[in-house]
Amino acid sequence: MLKIAVLISGGGSNLKALLDAAAEPDFPAQIVCVGSDTDADGLEHARAAGIPAFVVRPRDFGSREDWGAALADEIRAHDAGLVVSAGLMRILPAGFVREFSPRLINTHPALLPAFPGAHAVRDALAAGAARTGVTVHVIDEGVDTGPVLRQAAVDVRPGETEAELHERIKQLERPLLVQTVRDIALGTLRLPGVG
Ligand code: GRF
């Protein structure tokens, strides 16, 4: 069974969706650890599910690469075969990406290549986009530039706030992420460069 590490920074609703799916007897993957760069609220979901949760803080390290190396040590210790960034609000350093990519995926709240970066929902609204959505993609050494695996679109409603639009995106994002992980685990979705 595929072993998964999930990385978060926030409330962890995507993590919760993965945990709920993985609790089903027929789910083809197992979440073996959850990591964060901060004391994220979402770590409680992992603890409640009895899954090891760890925090590796960038400020405790002399460089981003050293932080990434410590994060990689944790993930390696749990023998994860897929790393899922589900709301990790930091750019993973190059050494980390080189070790895990393409078995390293991210979910991003926009239709990449449109609106990369940390403020994707705000940027889509500011640009007056009529449609936006969510992208699950492989992480490469760029920022939200790796190969796209799956996308789902949502129409922007007139007058909608950033929070309202983001919540509607997340309603699509959670099942899309779960389905993508399921398909990777089953081998029906091949990661680029993986046999
Ligand atoms: C998601 O929309 C993710 O794409 C973005 O931050 C949000 C995290 O939500 N980067 P949650 O913590 O999973 O609820």
Side-chain angles (χ1 to χ4, degrees):
M1 180 163 334
L2 180 65
K3 294 181 181 175
I4 297 174
V6 184
L7 301 177
I8 65 167
S9 296
S13 69
N14 283 282
L15 165 67
K16 179 73 166 62
L18 285 168
L19 289 167
D20 289 349
E24 296 294 324
D26 60 343
F27 197 74
Q30 179 193 0
I31 299 173
V32 290
C33 62
V34 176
S36 182
D37 59 323
T38 183
D39 289 314
D41 290 345
L43 291 173
E44 280 310 313
H45 295 308
R47 295 186 184 113
I51 287 165
F54 60 86
V55 178
V56 183
R57 290 181 184 77
R59 68 163 184 257
D60 293 339
F61 298 88
S63 70
R64 291 182 61 251
E65 284 294 342
D66 287 351
W67 169 68
L71 201 59
D73 286 346
E74 292 279 355
I75 292 168
R76 230 180 286 116
H78 292 281
D79 198 26
L82 178 71
V83 181
V84 179
S85 161
L88 179 74
M89 297 307 286
R90 281 192 194 265
I91 296 164
L92 290 162
F96 185 97
V97 173
R98 275 197 295 273
E99 175 167 350
F100 292 103
S101 186
R103 293 180 176 83
L104 173 61
I105 67 171
N106 179 51
T107 178
H108 179 79
L111 295 174
L112 292 172
F115 310 118
H119 305 291
V121 181
R122 190 186 308 170
D123 292 346
L125 281 173
R131 290 189 110 193
T132 184
V134 54
T135 302
V136 182
H137 67 97
V138 173
I139 295 180
D140 67 7
E141 289 186 35
V143 178
D144 301 324
T145 50
V148 170
L149 298 173
R150 294 277 161 80
Q151 292 185 308
V154 64
D155 290 330
V156 178
R157 292 178 181 159
E160 192 165 36
T161 67
E162 180 183 350
E164 287 164 347
L165 178 56
H166 198 169
E167 186 46 43
R168 288 200 304 118
I169 290 170
K170 284 167 74 167
Q171 284 168 17
L172 297 178
E173 182 173 31
R174 294 185 278 256
L176 188 77
L177 181 62
V178 168
Q179 190 61 44
T180 304
V181 167
R182 184 196 307 270
D183 291 345
I184 292 169
L186 291 173
T188 53
L189 174 61
R190 292 278 171 87
L191 292 168
V194 175

